[in-house]
Amino acid sequence: MSSIVSELWAFMKIRKKWWLAPILITLMLLSALIVFAEGSAVAPFIYALF
């Protein structure tokens, strides 16, 4: 997992693709929200948003 992150960081640094950073951060936060809320009582409300 860390090799993927380091390769992605190197790609963004070398190719000057800094506009990818907010998109990737948003995707990671959404995926973490779905994973952590999967077993809780909040899950039906989160899945209703999507």
Side-chain angles (χ1 to χ4, degrees), residues 11-35:
F11 172 78
M12 289 186 343
K13 188 176 173 185
I14 292 170
R15 306 254 195 244
K16 307 289 190 234
K17 302 285 185 183
W18 297 113
W19 55 270
L20 284 173
I23 297 170
L24 294 174
I25 291 169
T26 304
L27 285 174
M28 285 189 281
L29 289 174
L30 282 175
S31 61
L33 175 70
I34 290 172
V35 167

Side-chain angles (χ1 to χ4, degrees), residues 3 5 11 27 49:
S3 65
V5 174
F11 172 78
L27 285 174
L49 295 176

